[in-house]
RNA sequence: GUGGUUGUAGCUCAGCUGGUUAGAGCGCCGGAUUGUGGUUCCGGAGGUCGCCGGUUCGAAACCGGUCUUCCACCCCA
């Protein structure tokens, strides 16, 4: 056998069954997006490098796939950097395009570029693949789909409320009950940093805090100390390690800590607004939870931060995330354009639905009826009815070769086609068809009209 | 990017401290059954053991490199 071909690390092929299941999820998400009034846009797979570089932090730049310039790219490369073999610096002189890393930054670019054609507030959704040069793990790929819904041009907190409802609506329609929508607010995190006098270490502080559920209280404190956060500061924020109870009780717990912080109090007010609205219009099956350790997400979040966790017992990273960013388009020169949005991780949702057996059986059903091929005349006889069936939206097909019956039947069985029609010389004379139900084994010889009724 | 792990038939895997022609189950193909699949029985095909190099009289096994898989870190959907 020749050397088997392969695909790059972290990419996947999808079989017909997998595509059917993925389309099922896409369909549910898309239909809720539309239901909430979002409109679709699409952007190119690759952008100019300077649109993407520097927008995701140092770590992000490393994970962006760069596209080599076409032609003799070494000729135009910086001679000195080439000599020095400085990969980091040479990149910009041999690559000026890169694959998109997420959908949010390209969206910001889109908004700025088309600002005069857009009616604000602009609600858009976008379902496209993104690429990251990450090391693959379970539920982590180098090519994967994001399903984003964002609103730009409104600071209203009702948007946040709607996004919580949107998450709930999507997961409910997928039959995925018991997901937890975790909510936090950047202003609360800033408040913590302010109260302990470590504003300049906000990022280090939040990154460490975010790991609470993973490395525990002591682990977090250890990391904070390593980052130079004072012992007395740790004492001050001690209560956030002991928060318990429901949303309201947790809010009470942080109110005391943030009493002296204006920004912290603003954050609390936002959280309370959202909670109150959701309490008034209950969610169908998701839980809304305050999680002050939630700091995930990109540096540009300024208000609400969302993350969705799979139901308890399912080992999977977050299946969605999002937040408010007051100045995303600022980096492209458009000021005062607040945005808020959420993202669904299609590939991870797929894995969760698969694990819990939540895909409806009908998702993968393809052909409804297969006609056995007995020869030229019989095939023509069959094809006439097949055309009629297709006009009635019944998926029907003829086995292409007059192969042995055994082979044709096996084929139908393997593909789990529920009905088979046998029409040979005898049936042709009577202008009838023998219909076999593959599940029960029953079969009848009936007319074309009856056939249509039986299998529709 | 750092550390670890995995790779043997189409699939899931066995293969002892290195020892002749590398096995199983499932699947595939053919037959029993030329108008009846899913069960059964009989027969058959299919592998330069991920790839490259090294050690050895001898390598699927040991060593190095590389690619791939999964895991932890980093980060994240």
């Amino acid at each position: 056998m020749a050397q088997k071909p392969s695909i790059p690390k972290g990419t996947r092929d999808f079989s017909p069954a997998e595509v059917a299941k993925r389309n099922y999820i896409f369909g549910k998400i898309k239909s809720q997006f539309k239901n909430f009034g979002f409109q679709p846009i699409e952007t190119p797979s690759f952008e100019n490098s300077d649109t993407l570089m520097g927008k995701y932090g140092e770590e992000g730049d490393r994970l962006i796939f760069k596209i080599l310039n076409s032609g003799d790219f070494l000729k135009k490369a910086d001679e000195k950097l080439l000599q020095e073999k400085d990969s980091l610096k040479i990149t910009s002189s041999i690559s000026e395009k890169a694959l998109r890393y997420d959908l949010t930054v390209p969206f910001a670019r889109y908004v700025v570029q088309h600002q005069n054609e857009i009616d604000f507030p602009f609600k858009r959704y976008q379902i496209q693949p993104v690429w990251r040069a990450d090391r693959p793990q379970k539920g982590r790929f180098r090519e994967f789909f994001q399903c984003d819904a964002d609103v730009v041009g409104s600071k209203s907190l009702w948007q946040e409320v709607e996004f919580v409802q949107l998450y709930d609506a999507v997961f409910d329609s997928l039959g995925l009950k018991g997901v937890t929508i975790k909510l936090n607010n950047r202003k609360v995190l800033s408040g913590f940093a302010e109260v302990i006098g470590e504003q300049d270490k906000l990022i280090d502080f939040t990154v460490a805090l975010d790991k609470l559920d993973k490395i525990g209280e002591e682990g977090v404190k250890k990391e904070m100390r390593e980052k130079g956060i004072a012992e007395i500061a740790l004492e001050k924020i001690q209560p956030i390690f002991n928060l318990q109870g429901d949303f309201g009780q947790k809010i009470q717990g942080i109110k005391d800590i943030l009493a002296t912080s204006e920004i912290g109090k603003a954050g609390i007010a936002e959280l309370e607004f959202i909670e109150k609205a959701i309490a008034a219009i209950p969610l169908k099956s998701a839980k809304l939870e305050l999680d002050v350790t939630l700091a995930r997400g990109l540096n540009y979040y300024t208000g609400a931060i969302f993350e969705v966790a799979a139901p308890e017992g399912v080992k999977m990273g977050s299946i969605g995330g999002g937040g408010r960013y007051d100045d995303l388009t600022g980096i492209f020169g458009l000021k005062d354009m607040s945005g808020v949005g959420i993202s669904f991780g299609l590939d991870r949702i797929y894995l969760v639905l698969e694990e819990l057996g939540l895909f409806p059986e009908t998702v993968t059903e393809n052909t409804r009826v297969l006609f056995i091929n007995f020869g030229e005349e019989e095939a023509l006889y069959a094809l006439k009815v097949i055309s009629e069936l297709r006009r009635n939206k019944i998926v029907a097909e003829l086995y292409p070769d007059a192969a042995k019956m055994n082979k044709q039947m096996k084929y139908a069985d393997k593909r789990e086609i529920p009905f088979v029609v046998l029409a040979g010389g005898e049936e042709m004379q009577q202008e009838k068809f023998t219909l076999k139900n593959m599940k029960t084994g029953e079969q009848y010889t009936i007319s074309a009209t009856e056939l249509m009724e039986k299998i529709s």
Side-chain angles (χ1 to χ4, degrees), chain A residues 63-82:
Chain A
L63 299 176
I64 292 172
F65 276 107
K66 288 99 187 164
I67 297 173
L68 217 46
N69 288 343
S70 348
D72 193 353
F73 57 85
L74 278 183
K75 217 173 202 170
K76 299 178 203 153
D78 188 305
E79 202 67 43
K80 192 167 155 254
L81 293 175
L82 213 55

Side-chain angles (χ1 to χ4, degrees), chain A residues 372-382 405 421-434 445:
Chain A
I372 301 295
N373 188 331
F374 288 106
E376 236 170 82
E377 274 178 51
E378 292 90 337
L380 191 62
Y381 177 72
M405 171 83 110
V421 168
L422 301 95
E426 250 176 70
E427 283 89 348
M428 283 171 74
Q429 274 198 344
Q430 305 170 43
E431 289 187 14
K432 295 214 161 167
F433 300 86
T434 297
T445 301

Side-chain angles (χ1 to χ4, degrees), chain A residues 8-123:
Chain A
K9 184 200 291 213
T11 65
R12 296 148 303 157
D13 285 327
F14 298 111
S15 65
E18 287 165 331
V19 171
K21 289 177 188 172
R22 289 166 65 86
N23 284 343
Y24 164 75
I25 302 174
F26 282 137
K28 294 288 186 189
I29 293 175
K30 205 185 278 184
S31 111
Q32 292 302 334
F33 280 175
K34 285 185 192 162
N35 216 3
F36 277 69
F38 291 87
Q39 291 183 297
I41 68 160
E42 291 188 15
T43 63
S45 305
F46 53 95
E47 296 269 352
N48 293 324
S49 295
D50 49 14
T51 301
L52 304 181
M53 297 299 280
K55 307 301 190 297
Y56 309 99
E58 221 176 293
E59 196 63 26
D61 282 358
R62 203 196 79 212
L63 299 176
I64 292 172
F65 276 107
K66 288 99 187 164
I67 297 173
L68 217 46
N69 288 343
S70 348
D72 193 353
F73 57 85
L74 278 183
K75 217 173 202 170
K76 299 178 203 153
D78 188 305
E79 202 67 43
K80 192 167 155 254
L81 293 175
L82 213 55
Q83 287 292 320
E84 289 167 6
K85 298 197 171 168
D86 189 332
S87 312
L88 214 61
K89 286 185 187 153
I90 200 81
T91 308
S92 59
S93 75
I94 59 173
S95 158
E96 48 200 26
K97 297 176 290 300
L99 291 178
R100 72 168 160 251
Y101 176 88
D102 73 356
L103 301 178
T104 309
V105 168
F107 173 53
R109 192 225 80 221
Y110 176 96
V111 169
V112 174
Q113 205 175 320
H114 301 275
Q115 49 185 288
N116 296 322
E117 308 144 35
I118 294 173
D119 300 313
F120 294 101
F122 180 43
K123 298 171 78 173

